[in-house]
Amino acid sequence: ALPISLADSTDLRVLLNIMYLIVDTVRQECDEDRMEWHIARQTFRAELGTGTPLFNNEPFSVMLFGMVTKFCSGHAPHFPMKKVLLLLWKTVLCTLGGFEELLGMKAEKRAMLDLPPLPEDSIKVIRSMRAASPPASASDLIEQQQKRGRREHKALIKQDNLDAFNERDPYKTDDPHEIGRA
């Protein structure tokens, strides 16, 4: 494999910018839009949200998530991650809509399947969640487990040394009330 050049990275940035502009422009609807624009917008959303031969029969967002995973694992450090994430965000908004549309679709599908309404508002739950990294590949997980095993062993050794030091520490006390009196 050839190394990635600065020109390749620049080309990728330009392509991501163009795609971002297209997705964001198509996503915005106006009341004055003609029917043909509405049909073109729906067709674009459908093609963007379903698998196409261009992206290995996967939705465009899956390809973008793959780019994020490759960047985070260190296999593609040249990816302009800010641009990839912005395009991914706009792609999800374009294909699925915002939280309100998603909540409406979910309620509609539950009603069609004769399921009870959800007891909690998923938007509130999502807003209270903390951020997480994307899943790693299987080889990355194995490598992390091996490193973690080595680190835990070293940490135990260091803890043993620390315990031995604390036993000899003349300032160490076992009574928590004595700490406040000093």
Side-chain angles (χ1 to χ4, degrees):
L2 296 172
I4 303 298
S5 69
L6 183 60
D8 293 334
S9 184
T10 303
D11 290 347
L12 184 58
R13 286 175 186 277
V14 169
L15 290 172
L16 289 171
N17 275 338
I18 292 169
M19 233 6 237
Y20 179 89
L21 290 171
I22 292 171
V23 170
D24 195 38
T25 303
V26 170
R27 185 181 71 83
Q28 298 172 8
E29 295 184 35
C30 295
D31 292 334
E32 302 89 36
D33 285 346
R34 294 186 305 224
M35 190 59 162
E36 58 200 32
W37 277 104
H38 180 72
I39 293 169
R41 182 176 291 112
Q42 294 303 333
T43 303
F44 180 78
R45 284 182 176 154
E47 289 178 2
L48 197 61
T50 59
T52 61
L54 184 60
F55 306 119
N56 297 328
N57 293 324
E58 294 178 338
F60 186 61
S61 56
V62 171
M63 183 195 74
L64 293 172
F65 273 118
M67 290 176 74
V68 172
T69 304
K70 287 178 185 175
F71 177 83
C72 290
S73 66
H75 296 302
H78 63 282
F79 283 168
M81 200 42 43
K82 185 176 178 181
K83 292 187 183 308
V84 171
L85 291 172
L86 286 170
L87 178 56
L88 177 60
W89 173 51
K90 290 296 182 174
T91 301
V92 169
L93 282 176
C94 185
T95 55
L96 298 177
F99 284 127
E100 289 75 24
E101 291 90 353
L102 186 59
L103 194 58
M105 285 190 305
K106 188 187 291 187
E108 182 182 310
K109 294 290 182 184
R110 290 186 70 83
M112 279 179 19
L113 298 171
D114 295 326
L115 295 172
L118 291 173
E120 58 189 8
D121 184 6
S122 58
I123 295 172
K124 289 180 183 175
V125 172
I126 289 170
R127 288 186 178 145
S128 67
M129 293 174 67
R130 64 183 192 90
S133 296
S137 65
S139 62
D140 292 339
L141 289 173
I142 292 169
E143 185 178 307
Q144 285 176 357
Q145 286 175 348
Q146 290 171 347
K147 286 180 182 177
R148 191 173 297 133
R150 282 182 255 154
R151 272 193 225 131
E152 287 172 2
H153 181 67
K154 289 178 184 176
L156 290 175
I157 293 171
K158 288 180 182 176
Q159 184 64 42
D160 289 343
N161 290 340
L162 186 60
D163 290 341
F165 174 75
N166 284 339
E167 289 173 10
R168 289 180 273 131
D169 188 358
Y171 301 105
K172 181 181 177 280
T173 179
D174 292 331
D175 186 7
H177 298 291
E178 288 182 25
I179 295 172
R181 289 185 215 150

